[in-house]
Amino acid sequence: MSVILDIRLKRANKVYHEAEVLAGVVVITSKEAVQHQGISLTMEGLVNLQLSSKSVGVFEAFYNSVKPIQLINSNIEVAKPGKVPGGKTEIPFEFPLQVKGNKVLYETYHGVFVNIQYTLRCDMRRPLLAKDLSKTCEFIHVLQPQKSKVQPSPVDFTISPETLQNVKERNSLPKFLVRGHLDATNCVITQPLTGELVVESSEVAIKSIELQLVRVETCGCAEGYARDATEIQNIQIAEGDVCHGLPIPIYMVFPRLFTCPTLETTNFNVEFEMNVVIVLHDDHLITENFPLKLCRV
Amino acid sequence: MVERGEEAFTGAVLKFQIGSRGLEGKLLPTRHARVRKYGAELQRCQLEATPVEQGDYHPLKPIIVTDSRSRRGGRKGSTSSSSSSSSSVAMDPLSSMMEGTDPLSLFAAASASEVPTLSHSSSSVELGRKQRENEDEVGADFEPWSAKRGEILSRFTTTEKLSINLFMGSEKNKASSPSSAVSEKVRTRLEELDDLEEGSQRELLNLSQQDYVKRIEELNQSLKEAWASDQKVKALKIVIQCSKLLSDTSVIQFYPSKFVLITDILDTFGRLVYERIWSMCSDPRPQPDSFSVEDVNDTAKETCLNWFFKIASIRELIPRLYVEAAILKCNRFLNKTGIQETLPRLTAMIRGIGDPLVAVYARAYLCRVGMEVAPHLKDSLNKNFFDLLASFRQIHSDTVQNQLVIQRVEIPVYLTLYSPAIHWILQCVAYRAPDVLLTEMMERCKKLGNNALLLNSVMWAFRPEFVAARATDFIGMIKDCDEAGFPKHLLFGSLGRSLACADPAESERLPILNEAWKVITKVRSPQDYINCAEIWVEFTCRHFTKREVNTVLADIIKHMTPDRAFEDAYPQLQSVMKKILTYFHNFSVLFSMEKFLPFMDMFQKDSVRVEVCKSIMEVFIKHQQEPTRDPVILNALLHVCKTMHDSVNALTVEDEKRSLALLINGFIRMVSFGRDFEQQLSFCVEARATFCNLETVIIQLIHTVNQLAMETKRVMGGNHSRKTAAFVRACAAYSFITIPSLTSIFSRLHLYLLSGQVALANQCLSQADAFLKAAVSILPEVPRTISVEGKQRSSEAFLLDFINSFLSTLLVVPDHPEQGVLYLVRGLLNMVQDYTWEDNSDAKVRVYISALPLLAAMSQENYLYTIPKVDSNETLYGGDPKFVAEISRLCETLIGQVLDHLKTLGREEGVRRQGSIAFALFSVLLAHGDLRNNKLNQLAVNLWNLSHKNGYCETRTSVRTLEHIKQQAQQPELSHLSDMLLRLSLQSRA
């Protein structure tokens, strides 16, 4: 293909807030002059929902996916029909990120069953015998930070055989005691999750302590709700038989794109949880769950 | 030899008689040498001597500064005013040039921590900054990691099989959902990932250590390749996998080396990332070292942030920790406080590592990176150390014990694995730390049970002065340590190392040595023993006398002799020797140590032995000021030198021989028996027998003996008694029988000549004759080419030099009563005639020309120089006309030969050479010939014309010659020269 179409946004991180203007250039690279019938830009925001095969049947999951929810769809013309000279041509553009009506723009989020994505597409229509050209570029929408302060919500926790639920034979469990605290469960998404954890005692050597970040996605559909929890990331904070009595830091950075402020809408919910997972040397797995509320301040 | 020479001489006379026909039939008058009055000539030639008055100007007298210009900050305040400068304060002109202090000491002052002299010009702010930098930055006194690296690699090795488990793509990218929403970029990355995942889970088992190192190096290489080909994700994966290997403690003995290898990769990675982000900063690029966050553009920041997010999501603790530490420096692109915040967090993160060994090395790495990137952040260094102390008991936990049992590693061995890391951490902590902090650290260490390991590192890493001041305390602590844990000899080794650099209080020294040696001597393993003893020898030598050192040596011998244990400990024993030699320069003390020679005997491997001998000799030559006759020293050193000499064999390279000979010569020069000349001679006889394989030494010996003869003459005031006469003859005999054993022909020639001169000076006429005859008789043996510094060069120049100096000696050698007149001169010329000179060479003729001045000098009534108490030919013949006639005849023959040669040259292409020889002969005739003789005069004029015929003569030389003649002609007895001058014409070079 002798013509190459590209979109370059001015902002290196491609992060935009609502009502801001996406500025950038459309770059057309070609050896010869290109005849075209107009170049246009389309901005689109979509929520894709997918049903998991667990909650509905396999086939339904495949075919019956919920219709995407459109958040924004606007169009501007960049160039009128004409000719672009050979070489590299840059056409600057400015495109406001603005919704019509009272629709809400959610934050960009890449999940398993819920995907919120914003794209900027450039189309070049060309006369007969030449294929139309198109280039898509994703940008990230982030909500304006809220002014309100987050209530710090520290949580102390103790994990011992007695505090566990879902245990079949409580007697066969080795004795252990893990204390700790999280500095907050109302987390600011840009700040790491912090806390401390102390292994006070443990009969069996500890193999590993991990922090598991989990997303809980709920989709509304014809048959009701589908609620699924999947792992986003798993961060090991202790490896091997750690020193007893010495506090181990809990520290986790929320990954970009894969997390967003906790979201509750009529059609779908996106929530997050964190599990502290302690693996003992005899492969006992102890999990303590903490629901998190993420927000952007 | 001599006899054959004589026959040849007789023949010479005949030849020269035949040769005399070629003088163009002109008979020259009896004396054609001009009469010289050497004394008057000398007087005339001398520069006018003007007596120098005291206090006058003299170039060598110190300059007196009369300059009244005031100097800023001069070294001597007195030079600043004119009043004081009039006083004759001698001032070095060099230092007066400088404005006060000389630049070198200026620099020295500047490098000291306070920058006093330079700060005048620089503003105080700058000064403050400089001082702060000095405090913050790591100076040259901080032993860098690179120095430790090699040591660790060579120390921690294994013969066990290792394995690398590379599990590329172990962490599936969680975003790899089937949704179409994955962006383009992520997709390509996923594809890259897939490439690696296919069959990339490979476990390499049963690797030997070399294979392992090779594999790691390959990984390092593939990291660079991946980076270069823009596969950043692959590069990161390689780094993650590599750092994951650090959590594996199977084959624990190898762990420290593994750490070194893998952190190398991490360093590479850190550098690559940093450089890449730096290069993204658009022009103008910020300064590599001092840029602020504002200088970094958004793209660079975003890339940097991406790296940190990527790393923050690494699943395993250890790779996450190491990789983040590796790119710690990149925090500078994001914000000012990044490093400051990250370091404590990473430090705390290490608490999550259960295995104490893995944790301690992680701490070491963090400290290393911290020191590199932000040396001023001491807090996190300290925190690292305190955390280490807090988790110290982990070392004795069950998990570790079980592991050791499985791997069959003993506790002491296991504990030594910690040393490099703890050393490093402590070194970082203690670097320029105040004493208070160090004391606190020590107290903390003390509180922990079984702290030998820490104690060891404390002694290694803390300032030697600090340790030395508390040496007695340390000994107490070492004694309290549990023997089963950390080997005590290592502890004493560390203590000794500190004490070798800094001195403990005077009164404590002996108790320290006693306590230490009590433990050292109990060490069973010879290797451990010698490692420790070697260190303590330094302390002993430094502070104690030969008695203590002797005791220590005795102990070493006792330990190292059984089962020939010394064979495995040559480096250490050599180091012991080196230390002793550093502190004991008095060789009589050294050799009077009973155990020194037995100690030397332990070096039984030839190469090592020679090395040791060489080091002893080097020290001897360097430090022995006075010549010695001490029999103890002589015997011992003779033995040492003999050892060196005996190592020479056919395979020894020339350089080695030269260096050995140099050392032995140094020894020989230092031997002096004072007035006991006979003893000295017999020493030389012994030395000759001992060092017969080293030619240079033999030459030195001949020189020594010649010097001895001259010394005898000096002592006797030139009048030998019967006894001393016999002695100097003995010296001559020594030289005479020694010289033929040399292989170098020129050495022989020169030594014959020199020894001949010495014999002559000592009135040993027949000996002198023999030397000179011998020299003449070996002349034909001189090869036409000799090798000079490995290249073949013509020997002609050397030979001519020798013959010229030989000729000048011949002036004073009286004729042998039984031989003919000018017997030696004829002999020499004869040899010259017979010698096969190079083709197309004028050398023979040049010798003839240079013989003419000799003959002219011989025909004078009073010789230019004579030897006291030796009657030269002037006295023997007393200007006998027959003698003069003989000389004239010889001259005729010689001139005839030269003229013949000139003729042949005219026929050939050698006109240039012809001119130059003709001019040379002209000069000789002018200087020495009696030009009042018409024929000689005519000959000279002809020669002048001949030399100018072809225009090859240098005009400048000709002009100067004419000027010289003009000047000479002013003297009344040489007035005839002015007539000749008219006949000498200058030819322009047409």
Side-chain angles (χ1 to χ4, degrees):
Chain A
M1 178 69 76
S2 59
V3 187
I4 299 161
L5 198 61
D6 198 14
I7 305 172
R8 287 201 197 134
L9 288 173
K10 233 177 205 172
R11 257 180 221 180
N13 57 6
K14 295 180 181 172
V15 174
Y16 294 90
H17 301 298
E18 195 176 340
E20 277 186 329
V21 174
L22 278 79
V25 285
V26 173
V27 186
I28 303 153
T29 323
S30 161
K31 275 181 190 160
E32 296 139 26
V34 188
Q35 188 77 42
H36 67 89
Q37 295 176 323
I39 303 170
S40 65
L41 277 173
T42 314
M43 182 189 285
E44 199 172 29
L46 275 183
V47 180
N48 275 300
L49 297 177
Q50 195 153 31
L51 299 176
S52 87
S53 52
K54 268 193 280 175
S55 43
V56 296
V58 179
F59 293 106
E60 275 164 308
F62 209 74
Y63 295 112
N64 203 12
S65 60
V66 187
K67 222 179 125 189
I69 306 161
Q70 199 171 59
L71 300 171
I72 188 172
N73 193 352
S74 49
N75 200 317
I76 55 166
E77 189 173 54
V78 178
K80 295 214 157 57
K83 223 176 183 182
V84 180
K88 190 171 161 189
T89 313
E90 292 191 352
I91 309 170
F93 64 84
E94 285 194 343
F95 203 158
L97 174 57
Q98 203 99 47
V99 266
K100 288 168 202 148
N102 56 356
K103 279 193 176 164
V104 187
L105 283 183
Y106 307 125
E107 271 202 20
T108 298
Y109 166 72
H110 293 185
V112 181
F113 303 108
V114 178
N115 265 295
I116 306 171
Q117 202 174 16
Y118 295 84
T119 53
L120 196 60
R121 198 179 68 235
C122 178
D123 291 301
M124 180 198 264
R125 284 180 304 283
R126 296 214 281 170
L128 231 65
L129 296 175
K131 250 166 80 184
D132 288 356
L133 291 176
S134 170
K135 169 81 187 177
T136 318
C137 148
E138 184 180 6
F139 67 91
I140 295 151
H141 170 240
V142 162
L143 291 179
Q144 287 288 359
Q146 290 160 4
K147 289 281 180 300
S148 64
K149 270 221 154 172
V150 182
Q151 290 297 314
S153 47
V155 179
D156 289 322
F157 61 88
T158 308
I159 311 171
S160 65
E162 291 73 35
T163 63
L164 296 179
Q165 300 159 348
N166 298 334
V167 186
K168 282 169 196 156
E169 298 163 56
R170 204 169 285 269
N171 296 341
S172 69
L173 269 182
K175 282 206 171 57
F176 62 86
L177 176 63
V178 177
R179 273 184 225 282
H181 67 89
L182 292 179
D183 292 334
T185 51
N186 284 340
C187 301
V188 183
I189 198 162
T190 50
Q191 302 288 316
L193 173 80
T194 53
E196 260 184 354
L197 176 148
V198 187
V199 180
E200 298 284 358
S201 64
S202 172
E203 259 184 6
V204 178
I206 288 168
K207 200 177 183 181
S208 172
I209 302 176
E210 287 152 23
L211 304 177
Q212 192 181 32
L213 182 64
V214 174
R215 61 191 145 216
V216 183
E217 292 164 319
T218 316
C219 299
C221 68
E223 283 88 27
Y225 285 105
R227 187 184 156 91
D228 291 283
T230 45
E231 182 188 285
I232 299 174
Q233 68 174 9
N234 195 345
I235 297 288
Q236 189 186 36
I237 58 163
E239 162 157 334
D241 193 12
V242 289
C243 187
H244 295 179
L246 199 66
I248 296 164
I250 291 175
Y251 182 91
M252 181 163 69
V253 176
F254 293 111
R256 295 187 297 186
L257 297 180
F258 304 120
T259 53
C260 66
T262 305
L263 201 58
E264 282 177 43
T265 68
T266 45
N267 294 331
F268 62 95
N269 288 355
V270 179
E271 292 151 300
F272 298 93
E273 290 176 357
M274 202 263 293
N275 291 328
V276 173
V277 183
I278 301 169
V279 189
L280 297 183
H281 230 274
D282 51 8
D283 284 337
H284 270 103
L285 195 84
I286 302 147
T287 308
E288 183 81 10
N289 181 270
F290 301 93
L292 301 177
K293 188 163 165 46
L294 301 189
C295 55
R296 194 174 291 275
V297 181
Chain B
M1 198 68 197
V2 175
E3 215 136 316
R4 226 191 57 201
E6 275 169 16
E7 279 169 30
F9 286 179
T10 352
V13 182
L14 275 172
K15 276 182 196 163
F16 270 93
Q17 278 169 349
I18 294 163
S20 66
R21 269 193 306 160
L23 278 182
E24 295 172 358
K26 289 170 194 162
L27 258 176
L28 296 169
T30 23
R31 192 199 289 267
H32 38 255
R34 113 182 130 87
V35 180
R36 308 286 292 270
K37 295 189 177 65
Y38 291 118
E41 273 178 48
L42 185 67
Q43 194 91 74
R44 212 168 45 240
C45 293
Q46 263 172 356
L47 288 171
E48 241 175 289
T50 44
V52 180
E53 276 173 48
Q54 283 291 318
D56 242 4
Y57 168 80
H58 189 271
L60 293 181
K61 267 187 71 176
I63 293 167
I64 296 155
V65 183
T66 47
D67 183 8
S68 61
R69 202 159 43 95
S70 71
R71 282 198 179 77
R72 272 187 295 123
R75 192 188 273 164
K76 282 176 185 145
S78 60
T79 54
S80 57
S81 72
S82 55
S83 63
S84 54
S85 65
S86 63
S87 71
S88 66
V89 173
M91 191 162 166
D92 182 3
L94 282 182
S95 59
S96 68
M97 289 298 287
M98 313 299 176
E99 299 263 294
T101 350
D102 74 295
L104 286 180
S105 49
L106 256 181
F107 285 136
S111 68
S113 56
E114 304 112 346
V115 199
T117 33
L118 278 179
S119 61
H120 290 306
S121 55
S122 56
S123 67
S124 60
V125 181
E126 215 174 340
L127 178 71
R129 192 178 58 85
K130 233 173 206 160
Q131 272 177 341
R132 204 185 59 239
E133 267 176 15
N134 272 347
E135 272 164 37
D136 289 348
E137 262 162 31
V138 183
D141 50 341
F142 187 79
E143 194 187 354
W145 174 254
S146 49
K148 305 246 176 197
R149 214 186 144 266
E151 189 193 319
I152 296 177
L153 282 180
S154 59
R155 194 169 140 205
F156 297 98
T157 56
T158 182
T159 49
E160 288 194 35
K161 294 296 178 194
L162 300 153
S163 65
I164 298 179
N165 191 351
L166 285 175
F167 191 57
M168 295 305 233
S170 61
E171 31 165 17
K172 278 229 161 61
N173 198 324
K174 297 301 180 289
S176 60
S177 57
S179 84
S180 58
V182 187
S183 71
E184 197 75 78
K185 207 171 178 186
V186 176
R187 195 177 297 146
T188 48
R189 285 203 177 154
L190 284 175
E191 278 160 14
E192 255 176 51
L193 251 169
D194 288 337
D195 283 349
L196 277 169
E197 268 168 60
E198 280 165 5
S200 65
Q201 182 195 354
R202 47 192 171 144
E203 190 168 7
L204 302 161
L205 291 168
N206 282 337
L207 294 173
S208 72
Q209 190 185 322
Q210 283 86 344
D211 291 342
Y212 192 91
V213 175
K214 216 174 93 196
R215 292 279 172 188
I216 298 277
E217 187 42 47
E218 279 171 17
L219 281 172
N220 203 348
Q221 216 49 49
S222 54
L223 164 68
K224 284 180 191 158
E225 278 163 22
W227 190 270
S229 58
D230 220 37
Q231 293 174 283
K232 306 287 185 304
V233 179
K234 187 181 174 191
L236 180 62
K237 277 187 176 302
I238 291 173
V239 173
I240 292 174
Q241 292 308 315
C242 286
S243 37
K244 210 186 272 178
L245 294 175
L246 283 175
S247 58
D248 172 24
T249 53
S250 55
V251 194
I252 206 157
Q253 310 88 307
F254 186 62
Y255 191 84
S257 293
K258 184 158 81 177
F259 169 79
V260 169
L261 293 171
I262 289 172
T263 49
D264 280 354
I265 296 187
L266 286 165
D267 289 345
T268 312
F269 178 74
R271 210 184 55 242
L272 289 173
V273 172
Y274 185 86
E275 279 167 4
R276 177 176 153 72
I277 297 176
W278 186 73
S279 72
M280 289 172 91
C281 299
S282 56
D283 292 315
R285 296 254 168 85
Q287 292 289 311
D289 287 319
S290 55
F291 60 87
S292 65
V293 186
E294 290 78 40
D295 300 336
V296 184
N297 65 9
D298 285 348
T299 324
K301 268 185 189 159
E302 183 61 19
T303 316
C304 189
L305 210 57
N306 264 334
W307 278 111
F308 281 110
F309 270 111
K310 192 106 194 121
I311 287 162
S313 66
I314 296 173
R315 194 186 149 334
E316 281 100 336
L317 171 67
I318 289 170
R320 194 169 64 241
L321 179 79
Y322 271 103
V323 179
E324 187 164 2
I327 64 162
L328 182 69
K329 201 177 173 190
C330 294
N331 270 301
R332 295 171 57 179
F333 294 112
L334 295 178
N335 49 42
K336 272 184 188 141
T337 53
I339 294 174
Q340 213 165 311
E341 287 157 10
T342 312
L343 267 177
R345 181 167 60 75
L346 291 178
T347 306
M349 218 162 119
I350 296 178
R351 290 182 179 183
I353 301 177
D355 190 299
L357 189 67
V358 178
V360 83
Y361 274 94
R363 284 186 198 288
Y365 184 67
L366 195 59
C367 287
R368 169 146 84 86
V369 176
M371 277 308 261
E372 253 169 45
V373 177
H376 54 283
L377 298 175
K378 303 257 190 249
D379 283 350
S380 63
L381 294 175
N382 296 350
K383 192 160 181 305
N384 254 312
F385 182 63
F386 293 139
D387 269 4
L388 168 71
L389 295 185
S391 60
F392 200 67
R393 59 175 186 275
Q394 285 284 99
I395 293 176
H396 303 285
S397 71
D398 292 341
T399 325
V400 172
Q401 301 298 333
N402 293 340
Q403 201 186 6
L404 294 186
V405 171
I406 295 167
Q407 294 201 24
R408 282 188 235 113
V409 174
E410 285 173 29
I411 287 279
V413 177
Y414 176 68
L415 288 180
T416 53
L417 297 179
Y418 284 85
S419 302
I422 299 184
H423 284 351
W424 180 259
I425 296 171
L426 274 170
Q427 189 192 332
C428 293
V429 168
Y431 182 67
R432 293 195 182 160
D435 267 7
V436 189
L437 180 69
L438 299 187
T439 318
E440 190 204 332
M441 301 244 168
M442 221 175 96
E443 288 307 316
R444 288 220 194 186
C445 295
K446 257 193 222 172
K447 278 182 203 142
L448 288 171
N450 194 357
N451 51 9
L453 178 58
L454 283 171
L455 199 58
N456 185 37
S457 295
V458 164
M459 289 188 288
W460 257 87
F462 283 14
R463 278 190 290 278
E465 297 79 23
F466 181 87
V467 177
R470 294 163 183 72
T472 322
D473 291 350
F474 273 107
I475 286 188
M477 282 189 273
I478 294 173
K479 274 198 206 152
D480 293 340
C481 286
D482 181 11
E483 182 65 40
F486 201 75
K488 272 192 185 170
H489 63 90
L490 287 183
L491 290 172
F492 272 104
S494 305
L495 182 61
R497 199 166 284 122
S498 291
L499 293 181
C501 306
D503 305 337
E506 180 104 43
S507 58
E508 290 177 11
R509 287 174 190 168
L510 192 61
I512 290 173
L513 182 64
N514 281 333
E515 286 299 334
W517 209 267
K518 223 184 273 173
V519 178
I520 298 168
T521 193
K522 277 183 203 142
V523 177
R524 286 234 186 77
S525 146
Q527 203 62 35
D528 292 343
Y529 169 81
I530 192 68
N531 280 333
C532 194
E534 178 219 332
I535 297 163
W536 278 87
V537 165
E538 172 122 26
F539 179 72
T540 319
C541 292
R542 200 175 156 108
H543 300 297
F544 299 97
T545 59
K546 71 167 193 180
R547 201 177 72 110
E548 286 80 5
V549 177
N550 195 37
T551 320
V552 168
L553 284 183
D555 198 56
I556 293 179
I557 294 171
K558 200 176 92 193
H559 274 83
M560 301 310 288
T561 313
D563 301 329
R564 300 177 68 80
F566 50 78
E567 283 181 340
D568 300 324
Y570 284 134
Q572 290 92 334
L573 292 174
Q574 262 178 295
S575 152
V576 170
M577 181 61 97
K578 216 165 105 190
K579 282 168 184 163
I580 294 176
L581 288 173
T582 324
Y583 289 97
F584 287 83
H585 293 155
N586 187 338
F587 275 73
S588 58
V589 173
L590 190 66
F591 287 120
S592 64
M593 265 183 235
E594 265 171 52
K595 294 294 178 186
F596 187 78
L597 289 178
F599 179 71
M600 267 190 67
D601 285 341
M602 285 207 291
F603 299 99
Q604 295 197 351
K605 193 174 152 195
D606 279 344
S607 57
V608 180
R609 202 174 164 76
V610 173
E611 275 306 305
V612 170
C613 290
K614 274 166 93 172
S615 59
I616 294 177
M617 287 317 296
E618 270 158 20
V619 173
F620 177 79
I621 290 168
K622 199 168 159 199
H623 294 287
Q624 186 74 21
Q625 307 287 349
E626 300 278 309
T628 181
R629 58 181 300 173
D630 185 332
V632 180
I633 297 181
L634 292 191
N635 267 329
L637 288 185
L638 209 56
H639 176 71
V640 167
C641 287
K642 187 170 159 41
T643 312
M644 292 199 295
H645 169 264
D646 291 351
S647 75
V648 174
N649 56 35
L651 296 175
T652 314
V653 286
E654 208 51 45
D655 266 357
E656 173 74 6
K657 273 194 204 170
R658 202 172 312 160
S659 76
L660 290 177
L662 209 65
L663 292 172
I664 297 176
N665 283 350
F667 165 60
I668 290 172
R669 266 186 230 119
M670 274 301 162
V671 176
S672 165
F673 290 88
R675 285 287 181 101
D676 195 348
F677 293 135
E678 281 174 10
Q679 180 88 34
Q680 182 104 26
L681 185 61
S682 68
F683 170 78
C684 287
V685 172
E686 193 186 342
R688 181 177 59 192
T690 317
F691 306 124
C692 55
N693 286 335
L694 287 171
E695 199 150 293
T696 327
V697 178
I698 300 293
I699 293 173
Q700 171 65 35
L701 284 170
I702 294 169
H703 282 304
T704 308
V705 169
N706 278 334
Q707 199 188 355
L708 196 60
M710 293 311 284
E711 189 64 16
T712 315
K713 177 174 172 257
R714 193 184 61 79
V715 168
M716 297 306 289
N719 296 315
H720 280 298
S721 68
R722 245 178 84 184
K723 203 175 156 199
T724 57
F727 177 72
V728 291
R729 280 198 289 275
C731 288
Y734 179 96
S735 301
F736 195 76
I737 58 168
T738 312
I739 294 170
S741 67
L742 299 173
T743 53
S744 157
I745 184 86
F746 277 102
S747 300
R748 263 190 282 165
L749 283 173
H750 285 293
L751 284 172
Y752 272 134
L753 178 58
L754 182 75
S755 305
Q757 288 165 343
V758 168
L760 212 53
N762 282 296
Q763 300 126 43
C764 307
L765 297 183
S766 54
Q767 279 79 4
D769 254 4
F771 278 120
L772 299 177
K773 253 190 237 168
V776 172
S777 64
I778 61 166
L779 269 182
E781 290 173 33
V782 176
R784 274 160 62 177
T785 56
I786 52 168
S787 108
V788 178
E789 283 160 2
K791 282 181 214 147
Q792 286 296 319
R793 282 177 54 183
S794 164
S795 65
E796 202 177 277
F798 296 95
L799 190 55
L800 283 183
D801 272 357
F802 172 73
I803 290 176
N804 283 341
S805 87
F806 193 85
L807 285 172
S808 60
T809 309
L810 284 183
L811 176 65
V812 290
V813 181
D815 277 346
H816 195 282
E818 288 166 20
Q819 308 289 350
V821 178
L822 298 180
Y823 160 72
L824 279 170
V825 180
R826 282 165 193 277
L828 179 71
L829 292 174
N830 207 9
M831 284 302 174
V832 168
Q833 195 185 28
D834 287 353
Y835 184 74
T836 42
W837 296 93
E838 265 175 79
D839 302 332
N840 280 327
S841 150
D842 303 323
K844 184 159 80 175
V845 181
R846 296 236 175 239
V847 174
Y848 288 164
I849 294 175
S850 50
L852 287 172
L854 168 72
L855 292 171
M858 277 183 155
S859 61
Q860 303 297 325
E861 269 174 40
N862 290 306
Y863 280 5
L864 180 55
Y865 44 84
T866 50
I867 294 175
K869 302 209 185 299
V870 174
D871 293 331
S872 300
N873 286 342
E874 55 170 339
T875 341
L876 284 185
Y877 297 112
D880 186 351
K882 270 190 204 157
F883 175 64
V884 176
E886 190 63 37
I887 290 176
S888 295
R889 213 165 26 245
L890 253 178
C891 288
E892 281 164 26
T893 318
L894 290 175
I895 294 175
Q897 291 276 323
V898 176
L899 293 177
D900 279 354
H901 186 72
L902 283 175
K903 263 185 212 158
T904 54
L905 282 181
R907 279 199 293 274
E908 294 158 28
E909 294 298 296
V911 273
R912 180 187 283 270
R913 279 159 57 202
Q914 188 190 42
S916 120
I917 291 171
F919 194 78
L921 186 56
F922 169 77
S923 305
V924 168
L925 289 183
L926 179 68
H928 303 283
D930 183 2
L931 294 181
R932 281 174 301 195
N933 178 298
N934 282 336
K935 283 178 180 150
L936 208 54
N937 197 320
Q938 183 57 45
L939 179 62
V941 173
N942 289 346
L943 284 169
W944 172 270
N945 291 335
L946 181 62
S947 67
H948 285 75
K949 197 171 81 184
N950 293 304
Y952 287 121
C953 198
E954 232 188 288
T955 326
R956 255 179 69 197
T957 323
S958 308
V959 171
R960 290 186 61 179
T961 312
L962 287 177
E963 272 170 18
H964 172 74
I965 297 172
K966 214 182 276 174
Q967 211 180 355
Q968 292 281 65
Q970 285 166 1
Q971 292 165 41
E973 67 268 32
L974 292 173
S975 52
H976 58 279
L977 285 179
S978 50
D979 301 337
M980 194 179 88
L981 197 57
L982 299 171
R983 297 164 66 198
L984 300 179
S985 58
L986 254 182
Q987 272 176 351
S988 63
R989 218 179 299 180

